[in-house]
Amino acid sequence: CRLVSDVPLGAFLSGGIDSSAIVAMMAKANGRSVKTFTIDFDEKTFSELNDAQCVADHCGTDHHVLKVTTDAMNLLPGLVWHFDEPFADSSAIPTYYVSKMAREHVTVILSGDGGDELFAGYNNYAKKDQYRHLLRFPKSIRHALFNRMAKVLPIHAPMRNFFKYMAWATLDDGPGALGIYPYLKEDLLSHDMKNQLMQFDSMACIRETMQSCTDSDKLARLQYVDTKHYLPGDILVKVDRMSMAHSLETRAPLLDYRLVEFAARLPIPLRMRSGTSKYLLKRVLRKYLPSGILAKRKHGFSIPIGPWLQTSLNGFAREILLDERARKRNLFNTEVVADMLQYHTQGRRDYSDWIWTLLILELWFQTYMDQATRRA
């Protein structure tokens, strides 16, 4: 159905199972070479080029590759404008570039979005019961004990965030929050913002969705929450905004309603078995893809934001987050932000997700709120 088109059509190919499955099916159904598009990085731990090339060779595609460097940071104000809202998923950058490259060759693109939610592919699904024995202790006791332990530790201490989590978590927590975890925000917020926001439970909607799912297995409930929140609130928004920035239409075959309904009925052992995620999907794909692609660990579509913020982007982040405009907003504790930047640069702690989230938020304020003030 998704191959019906009056214009040239291709596929994103990351080298992961989902996009590889789409390419393999396209090659089988098309009977001709599929145009595929991949992003590469200098940082080899983030590059999936070899896996993508392996699939491209196996399926005989017309393959295109684009390397993304720290020059991509020049895009940030434009990306913030395209999203309209504060949107801190850093994989928006490679999505922007792969969409730009694809639009030079095709008008419609197919993606593997939805595979992780449908077939239980995320790494945190395998950890769903990781701390169950500790979480059985009453939350009031855990909160008093672990919160006190966290407060005596400096923000960069290795066990501090674990103690915070244990003080906050419940047996039936949903997936982690998008952005900065609620129980860590108190470290970052200014005194005024704490008074205004700390009574607001940003995870309430996640818990409500989790509890509304009647399945007795926690894995199924985690998948349900991601399908209702993470998928439409992050993944699909990111791909839609970044592709439409280049007038590129995207289609997600794995989210066909018939396939979604089928996947929702699968017994748990066909989703994850003995720690193997996407069990059934991998079994089906044995006759279509190289065994090495099916056996590799999940990589995720991410950029080397940690190394970049330690080196070439450190000055940029410091300039934005410690700027006079950011200080005047009084949203965050400037001393804590400065410590985060310093500790990350020194390699004492990876604060890349926190820094990136705050960076995007400040750029959003500068793009929308400050300009609106000037216009007024």
Side-chain angles (χ1 to χ4, degrees):
C1 293
R2 271 68 186 177
L3 292 176
V4 175
S5 176
D6 295 326
V7 293
L9 184 146
F12 292 148
L13 178 58
S14 69
I17 290 174
D18 301 328
S19 64
S20 298
I22 296 301
V23 169
M25 294 300 101
M26 289 176 72
K28 180 175 182 294
N30 256 349
R32 60 181 184 274
S33 181
V34 177
K35 292 184 183 297
T36 52
F37 306 92
T38 297
I39 289 298
D40 187 29
F41 301 100
D42 285 327
E43 294 80 1
K44 294 306 176 187
T45 54
F46 288 84
S47 174
E48 290 188 278
L49 180 61
N50 292 339
D51 292 329
Q53 190 64 59
C54 175
V55 174
D57 293 341
H58 184 82
C59 298
T61 75
D62 177 13
H63 195 49
H64 304 263
V65 179
L66 179 67
K67 183 170 288 187
V68 176
T69 68
T70 53
D71 291 341
M73 291 305 102
N74 296 327
L75 282 176
L76 275 187
L79 293 191
V80 169
W81 181 85
H82 278 298
F83 279 108
D84 294 331
E85 61 185 337
F87 187 89
D89 186 337
S90 61
S91 63
I93 289 177
T95 306
Y96 177 93
Y97 275 108
V98 76
S99 298
K100 183 177 185 292
M101 172 175 55
R103 186 61 183 87
E104 295 171 0
H105 302 270
V106 299
T107 310
V108 177
I109 205 83
L110 271 62
S111 78
D113 293 331
D116 287 319
E117 289 82 3
L118 265 63
F119 297 103
Y122 289 125
N123 291 331
N124 69 306
Y125 292 158
K127 301 175 181 177
K128 61 189 175 76
D129 294 320
Q130 189 174 13
Y131 302 118
R132 178 168 288 271
H133 59 294
L134 288 173
L135 296 179
R136 291 190 185 280
F137 286 97
K139 187 176 179 181
S140 57
I141 296 175
R142 284 189 288 108
H143 184 82
L145 174 63
F146 288 109
N147 214 33
R148 190 174 304 152
M149 294 168 72
K151 284 184 176 179
V152 301
L153 293 173
I155 191 172
H156 61 276
M159 290 293 290
R160 186 175 184 276
N161 288 352
F162 170 76
F163 291 150
K164 284 263 187 180
Y165 170 77
M166 291 309 302
W168 171 85
T170 67
L171 265 174
D172 209 21
D173 274 337
L178 305 183
I180 298 172
Y181 292 103
Y183 55 91
L184 300 177
K185 287 179 181 172
E186 63 177 349
D187 296 322
L188 282 171
L189 295 176
S190 68
H191 179 73
D192 290 344
M193 286 301 288
K194 278 184 189 179
N195 290 337
Q196 295 185 58
L197 288 184
M198 288 311 287
Q199 299 305 314
F200 171 70
D201 184 358
S202 59
M203 290 292 283
C205 60
I206 300 289
R207 282 196 296 273
E208 289 169 7
T209 303
M210 188 99 171
Q211 292 162 7
S212 71
C213 180
T214 57
D215 199 297
S216 60
D217 193 277
K218 186 173 181 179
L219 173 60
R221 297 199 299 277
L222 289 171
Q223 288 179 265
Y224 181 71
V225 171
D226 276 336
T227 302
K228 299 289 282 185
H229 290 279
Y230 183 50
L231 180 65
D234 185 315
I235 303 298
L236 298 182
V237 172
K238 172 187 66 182
V239 175
D240 177 67
R241 299 291 195 278
M242 296 297 89
S243 60
M244 290 312 295
H246 303 289
S247 300
L248 178 72
E249 178 191 338
T250 56
R251 300 175 181 178
L254 294 179
L255 291 177
D256 182 281
Y257 74 93
R258 289 158 291 199
L259 186 55
V260 173
E261 290 174 352
F262 167 78
R265 297 189 188 105
L266 287 175
I268 295 301
L270 291 184
R271 308 181 199 190
M272 182 174 292
R273 181 177 296 186
S274 302
T276 299
S277 61
K278 297 181 178 176
Y279 181 79
L280 177 62
L281 183 62
K282 290 176 180 177
R283 287 293 299 268
V284 171
L285 292 173
R286 283 179 179 178
K287 56 184 177 181
Y288 299 107
L289 292 172
S291 58
I293 298 299
L294 302 177
K296 71 169 192 167
R297 296 185 59 173
K298 181 171 177 58
H299 189 280
F301 192 45
S302 58
I303 65 173
I305 191 64
W308 288 359
L309 286 170
Q310 274 188 309
T311 54
S312 55
L313 294 184
N314 180 262
F316 172 75
R318 186 172 293 276
E319 180 182 345
I320 297 294
L321 295 180
L322 301 181
D323 178 75
E324 188 62 29
R325 284 178 291 183
R327 292 174 183 270
K328 283 184 178 179
R329 288 188 221 290
N330 196 31
L331 301 178
F332 302 103
N333 185 326
T334 307
E335 291 182 6
V336 172
V337 174
D339 285 344
M340 283 168 42
L341 290 164
Q342 179 183 346
Y343 296 145
H344 184 83
T345 304
Q346 295 171 345
R348 296 169 71 178
R349 191 71 187 267
D350 183 1
Y351 284 114
S352 53
D353 288 342
W354 294 27
I355 295 169
W356 184 261
T357 300
L358 297 178
L359 194 58
I360 294 298
L361 181 61
E362 176 57 27
L363 287 172
W364 179 83
F365 269 106
Q366 293 182 14
T367 301
Y368 282 94
M369 307 308 288
D370 292 354
Q371 294 215 13
T373 302
R374 283 197 292 273
R375 284 196 299 272

